[in-house]
Amino acid sequence: VIDVSKRLLDLPTITDPRGHLTFVEGLRHVPFDIKRVYYLHHVPAGAERGGHAHHALHQVLIAVSGGFTVVLDDGHGQVRHRLDDARKGLLIKTMEWRELVDFTPGGVCLVLASRPYEESDYIRDYDTFLRAVGAKA
Ligand code: TYD
């Protein structure tokens, strides 16, 4: 079972009366070179994102506005974590099933990714994922 406390990254943040500025450098503040950035926004109430794992991709999720809940599953158990602090990143490694649920209105999930988009890197079938991690006979 994934220990979320070991996956939370404190992103450097400069605060002054004008607000917060948070920044991320690849290989410095996240443990990979950043090859791609995308963001989930205007997510309707009740919508569920994710629902897959990856063979090779590492990602860091950041709630840059609002919040959402991440369900992380390594095949041996799942943990839920609410992300709602733009100064925190959540690291997701290879072969970890993720679902993103319960977005607040206006919630935005920024994703930093270690690889370009490759559909062949996805595992989109949960039973296939369980077999791949050896969690199912
Ligand atoms: P998907 O990764 O399934 O979305 P999420 O896990 O966030 O719910 O991607 C949804 C669609 O967008 C799918 O058709 C693939 C496409 N897509 C790209 O073309 N490039 C990308 O970088 C990403 C993340 C998705």
Side-chain angles (χ1 to χ4, degrees):
V1 182
I2 296 162
D3 182 351
V4 174
S5 69
K6 291 184 177 154
R7 301 301 186 81
L8 287 171
L9 310 174
D10 286 309
L11 303 174
T13 299
I14 309 295
T15 300
D16 68 27
R18 300 170 299 164
H20 299 296
L21 184 155
T22 299
F23 57 94
V24 183
E25 295 179 14
L27 289 173
R28 187 164 176 216
H29 306 116
V30 297
F32 51 79
D33 195 14
I34 299 165
K35 294 283 174 57
R36 174 167 55 118
V37 174
Y38 66 93
Y39 36 100
L40 302 169
H41 53 101
H42 294 93
V43 176
E48 301 190 355
R49 305 293 319 205
H52 45 83
H54 292 266
H55 291 287
L57 187 70
H58 286 69
Q59 295 181 305
V60 167
L61 274 46
I62 304 168
V64 291
S65 184
F68 51 87
T69 296
V70 184
V71 185
L72 274 184
D73 181 349
D74 63 1
H76 304 283
Q78 56 171 234
V79 287
R80 298 172 74 86
H81 183 76
R82 186 78 181 163
L83 271 183
D84 58 7
D85 180 343
R87 300 168 299 184
K88 302 266 185 205
L90 178 66
L91 175 65
I92 304 180
K93 297 186 181 182
T94 58
M95 300 307 281
E96 296 180 348
W97 190 268
R98 87 291 314 276
E99 289 172 9
L100 279 66
V101 299
D102 295 337
F103 277 75
T104 59
V108 179
C109 175
L110 178 70
V111 183
L112 311 176
S114 66
R115 299 170 69 89
Y117 173 73
E118 300 159 309
E119 184 59 35
S120 63
D121 186 61
Y122 281 72
I123 300 174
R124 292 192 181 274
D125 178 72
Y126 189 67
D127 278 348
T128 303
F129 164 72
L130 288 181
R131 279 192 294 274
V133 296
K136 198 181 183 197

